[in-house]
Amino acid sequence: MKRAIQGFMMANILLVSTIGLASAALPEPQDPQVVANMTFEQRMQMSKDLREQFKQATLEERREYRQKLHAKFKALSPQERKALRDKMHAQWEALTPAQKKELRDNRKAMIASMTPEERAEMKKERSEWMQAHPNAQDHWNKPMNN
């Protein structure tokens, strides 16, 4: 009887630890300024690793990750956002055509790995943002002056 109880307790501990590991499938999003200082290869590897972790995460965990990532961008001051945007544009211009293609393909693969519900949710968020900022698209590819 004592062995049965011990076995039951060990099974429960194993189950709880497994659930704990599964629920912590996604890491905390990195600071955008840290990511901007990574090399192209580091970013691609981080992206591939994150996509693999997204496959194991639940829909709610993926949504929470995206919300945390957006919050990190919003936490930057306007000057920091401008500097980050300028740096990312300069890095994009410095990429080779093959690297640009790899980034585009990586983005397409990320979108393809999403569920239809996630895609619809992101499309809705983008539509709402575009309605709130109707002239934003005019300035996307222009350098910031302020």
Side-chain angles (χ1 to χ4, degrees):
M1 182 71 169
K2 188 174 181 181
R3 284 209 180 266
I5 291 174
Q6 286 176 339
F8 180 71
M9 293 293 284
M10 290 301 288
N12 282 337
I13 291 170
L14 181 63
L15 180 64
V16 168
S17 65
T18 303
I19 290 171
L21 287 174
S23 66
L26 295 176
E28 190 69 21
Q30 290 201 6
D31 184 75
Q33 294 172 322
V34 171
V35 175
N37 290 324
M38 290 180 173
T39 65
F40 174 78
E41 292 77 19
Q42 289 172 322
R43 281 193 207 156
M44 290 304 294
Q45 187 59 48
M46 182 185 77
S47 177
K48 288 174 185 172
D49 294 344
L50 189 59
R51 195 168 354 140
E52 287 301 316
Q53 292 169 338
F54 262 50
K55 288 179 184 176
Q56 299 171 1
T58 65
L59 178 64
E60 188 57 40
E61 288 172 331
R62 292 189 295 263
R63 182 180 298 125
E64 186 178 313
Y65 180 88
R66 284 192 302 273
Q67 289 170 348
K68 286 180 183 178
L69 184 61
H70 290 179
K72 288 195 179 221
F73 274 101
K74 289 179 182 178
L76 297 173
S77 71
Q79 295 81 12
E80 289 172 326
R81 281 195 298 269
K82 181 189 179 309
L84 186 64
R85 181 183 184 274
D86 291 344
K87 184 175 188 172
M88 301 284 284
H89 272 272
Q91 289 173 346
W92 174 258
E93 293 299 322
L95 293 177
T96 66
Q99 288 174 322
K100 288 180 181 181
K101 182 182 181 329
E102 188 176 353
L103 276 173
R104 288 184 188 113
D105 292 345
N106 188 40
R107 175 75 177 161
K108 287 177 185 176
M110 187 212 48
I111 297 296
S113 69
M114 292 178 152
T115 64
E117 295 84 18
E118 285 177 298
R119 283 188 226 138
E121 183 179 320
M122 288 184 77
K123 191 173 187 177
K124 181 181 170 226
E125 287 173 7
R126 184 174 189 272
S127 174
E128 290 171 355
W129 190 88
M130 291 301 290
Q131 286 178 353
H133 306 89
N135 298 325
Q137 213 169 1
D138 299 341
H139 307 288
W140 284 353
N141 295 318
K142 294 181 183 176
M144 295 176 72
N145 295 324
N146 52 0

